[in-house]
Amino acid sequence: DVKVTQSSRYLVKRTGEKVFLECVQDMDHENMFWYRQDPGLGLRLIYFSYDVKMKEKGDIPEGYSVSREKKERFSLILESASTNQTSMYLCASKVTDTQYFGPGTRLTVL
Amino acid sequence: QKEVEQDPGPLSVPEGAIVSLNCTYSNSAFQYFMWYRQYSRKGPELLMYTYSSGNKEDGRFTAQVDKSSKYISLFIRDSQPSDSATYLCAMRPNAGNMLTFGGGTRLMVKP
């Protein structure tokens, strides 16, 4: 079974803090993704990575950056958290056309 | 206007009912169509995957794509309380990695 794990289920941060969200997959997948999920808006792609150190912007990259130093790990960074980044963050890894999602991190920025 | 539209629900049905979930889209380049199921406090999981137009059946689930109308459907026969979840459609064109998701429909199947 593919396993995608995310570092925290719930996170509360203050405005202006630097926030790291980590994602690890155990299936040697090349492609990994970060989404945010908001009510009524579905999943929106923030960034994806198709190999180590390779990344591409998704639909809503503003305010976020990513890091992929090892194949199994893909990190999402909020350089200076803002209240409009309060959301559910989902990581996924992909083989062929199947994306395997982690359980999500619910981030609240106060 | 969003590229992929999906009624958010909630859709409440009695156990055993036939459920129809739908998405409309505007981008005629979409060729691959998926349905994901998301239980509460979990990540989405792939349920059905189809390419181009036509039907695909898997147990109680049938996915249908009508590209001429830019309309896709997921039918659930003999619905069960365990089918209660949010269903997200997703699609992509021939090239590329990026999926475009609908907003999701919340389904509740009552015993």
Side-chain angles (χ1 to χ4, degrees):
Chain A
D1 268 2
V2 176
K3 195 159 186 189
V4 179
T5 56
Q6 293 184 230
S7 49
S8 307
R9 292 303 302 272
Y10 300 94
L11 212 50
V12 179
K13 295 291 181 181
R14 298 218 172 266
T15 302
E17 278 193 81
K18 191 167 185 175
V19 182
F20 293 88
L21 301 182
E22 295 229 307
C23 175
V24 178
Q25 51 99 358
D26 67 355
M27 284 302 290
D28 204 36
H29 292 165
E30 290 177 348
N31 296 286
M32 295 186 74
F33 303 81
W34 273 107
Y35 294 91
R36 64 177 282 176
Q37 184 175 28
D38 300 289
L41 296 178
L43 275 71
R44 292 181 291 165
L45 183 65
I46 304 171
Y47 268 97
F48 76 94
S49 168
Y50 49 92
D51 205 346
V52 174
K53 297 191 189 294
M54 307 304 283
K55 62 187 180 188
E56 280 202 31
K57 293 179 181 178
D59 298 319
I60 51 164
E62 297 78 20
Y64 303 95
S65 62
V66 289
S67 172
R68 190 143 179 226
E69 295 297 318
K70 291 185 178 181
K71 196 173 187 179
E72 68 270 19
R73 190 179 298 267
F74 190 34
S75 301
L76 180 70
I77 303 148
L78 287 67
E79 294 290 340
S80 177
S82 63
T83 54
N84 63 12
Q85 292 178 309
T86 291
S87 188
M88 171 70 84
Y89 289 87
L90 287 159
C91 172
S93 71
K94 179 175 104 85
V95 63
T96 58
D97 247 326
T98 303
Q99 292 200 19
Y100 297 89
F101 284 86
T105 296
R106 184 163 293 283
L107 172 67
T108 302
V109 183
L110 303 175
Chain B
Q1 188 192 357
K2 288 188 224 172
E3 263 193 306
V4 180
E5 299 273 4
Q6 195 175 358
D7 188 326
L11 178 62
S12 182
V13 301
E15 184 175 353
I18 296 174
V19 174
S20 170
L21 303 167
N22 311 295
C23 286
T24 58
Y25 63 94
S26 55
N27 187 346
S28 57
F30 289 142
Q31 295 281 352
Y32 293 86
F33 303 92
M34 291 136 233
W35 286 95
Y36 280 81
R37 178 175 60 195
Q38 185 177 22
Y39 290 115
S40 182
R41 288 187 287 277
K42 303 263 185 178
E45 56 181 344
L46 183 66
L47 191 60
M48 296 288 281
Y49 170 84
T50 51
Y51 169 70
S52 196
S53 281
N55 290 1
K56 184 175 183 179
E57 191 172 318
D58 184 1
R60 295 184 295 111
F61 298 89
T62 300
Q64 200 170 75
V65 175
D66 181 350
K67 287 185 66 186
S68 61
S69 304
K70 298 193 183 70
Y71 189 87
I72 70 169
S73 301
L74 177 71
F75 298 97
I76 307 174
R77 287 184 299 282
D78 187 26
S79 56
Q80 302 295 309
S82 58
D83 295 327
S84 298
T86 296
Y87 290 80
L88 299 139
C89 63
M91 47 199 79
R92 72 166 180 86
N94 257 336
N97 264 317
M98 289 169 55
L99 292 179
T100 301
F101 283 84
T105 299
R106 187 168 158 231
L107 171 67
M108 296 188 296
V109 181
K110 304 206 167 176

